[in-house]
Amino acid sequence: MLHKEAELNSSANDLHVLIAGGGIGGLTTALCLAKRGCRVSVFEQASEFSEVGAGIQLSPNCSRVLHDLGLEEQLRTKAFLPEGSQFRHWRTGEVISESVLGETALKKYGMPYYHIHRGDLLKILVDATKNRSEIELHVNASVESFHEERAARSGGVTIQVGDTRYEGDLLIGADGIRSVVRAGLWGEQNPRYTGNVAWRAMVPVARLPKGLIRPMSTAWWGPRKHFVHYYVRRGDFVNCVCVVEKAGWDVESWTEPGDYAELKSDFAGWHSDIHQLIDNADRDSLFKWALYDRPPMRHWGQGRVTLLGDACHPTLPFMAQGAAMAIEDAAVIAGCLASNDDTAASLQHYEALRRGRTASIQNGSRRNATVFHLSGIKAWLRNRAARSAGNHTMDKLYRYNALEATNV
Ligand SMILES: Cc1cc2nc3c(=O)[nH]c(=O)nc-3n(C[C@H](O)[C@H](O)[C@H](O)COP(=O)(O)OP(=O)(O)OC[C@H]3O[C@@H](n4cnc5c(N)ncnc54)[C@H](O)[C@@H]3O)c2cc1C
């Protein structure tokens, strides 16, 4: 199937946008663009749109975009609204610092903070695309290469998907950390193993003593590791992400089964709450995953081809902002394309608006890898600083309004 080429300098609602990758970033982008009147084709390599069976935190800066897409009711139906977030001492369980979320976050940031199962979030996004006639979804559609027609006035972008070529006005590579579009633009460069492995597990709440887990996002800090847990599925499950520094293990896959005994021994000596969680985890949901990232890029796109989400700013999850950034990108790129008829210039504008913020989150997440895992006197000093930092450390991050970024 070959699509009609659109004309150069078309306004946003004439554009036909090709998106490689149907993850959280690609699908949110499709929805933001369709809302602006663009025609969008999303190409996903997998046989269905799905996400791993783990949780994800959605902070107010990205809830803002999702609510603007009309998804508030769906999110409220599926998600859990935490009352706050806290850091705790790995052995004693002492609360090092605590921030209020819940109604306070709503008042402060104008948007809620959600904890949601990734499968639920992806389903919400896929269902929303089905209500938009502008969006066409392709599965089993791996984008292998692309070609940009720069010289012709009616220039556009062609992508190769198996035996089929598709044409559009521009291409957005939302194809994750090992992005083919990124490699096509800038050459192959492997992401770097950060030395951290993340275990993930789901714990059915029915198996836990009542009141064991507070309705908060909790991160336990310990030497060379940390343990994060929070409720998902409206409080029916506790999602655990257990991060351990490990050299020499670098399998980047959510489907690598984790060994229960290894996880137990990784957290030997930790507080009994942690062991209650590990002991009650659903063994089928125990997986481990090597964490990779890349340094911030100096440029993301060229001409009518650009990148979005993990394809351009993969990050350690230690600020819980990877998907949030992809969702923000989606709103900003749609805003830029709608406000400028020159497609290539719009994409440059998008990049200029996004590079600084995303780089600072990538760098901050890297710093947290060190800060969370300190020991001895350094940990003591960190805890003291965290206690006095108060409730405002995330204010700037959460107040960001991607919907208005193009007006700034
Ligand atoms: C342990 C852990 C915890 C995390 N917790 C949080 C959190 O709480 N909050 C948060 O905001 N972020 C979190 N993140 C980060 C977040 O998961 C990612 O940043 C986010 O999923 C990136 O979305 P994406 O759409 O850019 O990329 P991806 O999710 O990687 O999606 C890319 C899609 O492209 C497809 N694809 C790849 N290549 C091709 C191709 N050639 N052609 C077609 N399709 C292709 C893939 O199959 C995939 O569906 C966490 C990450 C980890 C590892």
Side-chain angles (χ1 to χ4, degrees):
M1 186 168 108
L2 212 59
H3 288 296
K4 180 174 117 345
E5 257 183 30
E7 288 191 3
L8 190 70
N9 293 338
S10 43
S11 68
N13 55 14
D14 294 328
L15 288 174
H16 176 202
V17 182
L18 308 176
I19 300 179
I24 295 167
L27 291 173
T28 310
T29 306
L31 290 166
C32 290
L33 289 167
K35 191 165 185 243
R36 303 276 189 171
C38 298
R39 195 155 68 85
V40 190
S41 301
V42 180
F43 300 85
E44 168 55 43
Q45 66 179 6
S47 57
E48 56 180 341
F49 291 90
S50 65
E51 261 281 356
V52 290
I56 192 158
Q57 309 192 52
L58 298 176
S59 48
N61 45 311
C62 68
S63 310
R64 190 165 285 121
V65 175
L66 299 174
H67 282 204
D68 186 64
L69 291 172
L71 303 177
E72 176 174 1
E73 196 190 322
Q74 293 88 321
L75 289 168
R76 284 189 181 277
T77 309
K78 294 285 179 195
F80 182 84
L81 274 89
E83 286 175 11
S85 68
Q86 56 175 209
F87 296 116
R88 296 181 69 178
H89 186 278
W90 65 282
R91 187 168 38 80
T92 64
E94 175 207 355
V95 175
I96 297 164
S97 78
E98 195 165 287
S99 310
V100 189
L101 291 170
E103 286 305 315
T104 308
L106 203 57
K107 278 199 204 105
K108 202 165 162 186
Y109 310 115
M111 284 290 146
Y113 196 107
Y114 294 111
H115 293 162
I116 191 164
H117 191 281
R118 284 169 182 262
D120 293 341
L121 174 61
L122 213 76
K123 183 163 180 341
I124 290 171
L125 295 172
V126 172
D127 286 351
T129 63
K130 289 182 182 152
N131 296 328
R132 305 252 21 166
S133 58
E134 304 92 334
I135 302 177
E136 190 179 81
L137 301 180
H138 301 254
V139 288
N140 290 315
S142 179
V143 176
E144 288 155 18
S145 60
F146 66 86
H147 174 73
E148 186 190 359
E149 196 59 66
R150 287 204 193 172
R153 181 168 157 65
S154 59
V157 182
T158 312
I159 57 170
Q160 191 71 38
V161 179
D163 294 337
T164 314
R165 276 191 317 131
Y166 295 87
E167 286 186 34
D169 297 295
L170 65 137
L171 169 64
I172 301 173
D175 48 347
I177 188 166
R178 296 186 187 272
S179 167
V180 164
V181 179
R182 176 190 168 119
L185 284 165
W186 306 109
E188 289 279 359
Q189 273 173 324
N190 285 331
R192 58 189 177 185
Y193 174 51
T194 62
N196 291 275
V197 167
W199 296 83
R200 74 163 170 85
M202 283 282 180
V203 187
V205 167
R207 291 186 193 162
L208 296 172
K210 217 173 159 42
L212 181 79
I213 304 300
R214 290 182 65 196
M216 298 203 146
S217 161
T218 303
W220 301 68
W221 286 339
R224 301 171 64 84
K225 50 195 84 162
H226 71 278
F227 195 111
V228 177
H229 57 74
Y230 52 85
Y231 285 106
V232 292
R233 294 244 149 110
R234 297 186 59 87
D236 290 342
F237 288 86
V238 178
N239 178 71
C240 300
V241 183
C242 335
V243 178
V244 181
E245 289 179 24
K246 266 186 209 282
W249 192 83
D250 59 1
V251 180
E252 189 193 4
S253 161
W254 282 107
T255 49
E256 184 71 16
D259 174 35
Y260 170 77
E262 187 187 344
L263 176 60
K264 275 293 271 187
S265 91
D266 274 348
F267 286 89
W270 279 53
H271 192 270
S272 61
D273 286 8
I274 296 295
H275 285 280
Q276 296 224 43
L277 286 168
I278 297 175
D279 292 345
N280 287 295
D282 199 340
R283 300 285 167 97
D284 296 338
S285 77
L286 192 60
F287 293 103
K288 73 176 186 178
W289 157 283
L291 295 177
Y292 283 78
D293 73 356
R294 294 178 188 272
M297 296 175 76
R298 289 179 61 203
H299 300 288
W300 292 357
Q302 294 183 51
R304 288 163 166 255
V305 182
T306 194
L307 302 172
L308 182 142
D310 276 12
C312 48
H313 44 66
T315 180
L316 277 168
F318 301 166
M319 291 172 77
Q321 287 294 309
M325 287 193 284
I327 292 168
E328 291 176 354
D329 287 348
V332 176
I333 201 168
C336 288
L337 286 166
S339 60
N340 187 341
D341 283 347
D342 181 333
T343 301
S346 306
L347 297 184
Q348 284 304 310
H349 188 206
Y350 150 70
E351 233 191 270
L353 289 172
R354 296 295 298 154
R355 271 203 320 267
R357 177 172 167 89
T358 54
S360 82
I361 292 171
Q362 283 177 286
N363 293 332
S365 301
R366 271 249 152 192
R367 267 195 307 280
N368 281 351
T370 309
V371 172
F372 288 6
H373 295 180
L374 292 173
S375 53
I377 183 71
K378 286 184 179 161
W380 185 84
L381 289 168
R382 172 204 62 201
N383 296 352
R384 197 177 64 165
R387 263 180 222 110
S388 55
N391 219 339
H392 307 291
T393 47
M394 303 304 264
D395 280 5
K396 190 167 169 225
L397 203 62
Y398 294 167
R399 286 212 165 99
Y400 177 82
N401 188 345
L403 302 165
E404 288 177 3
T406 40
N407 304 335
V408 179

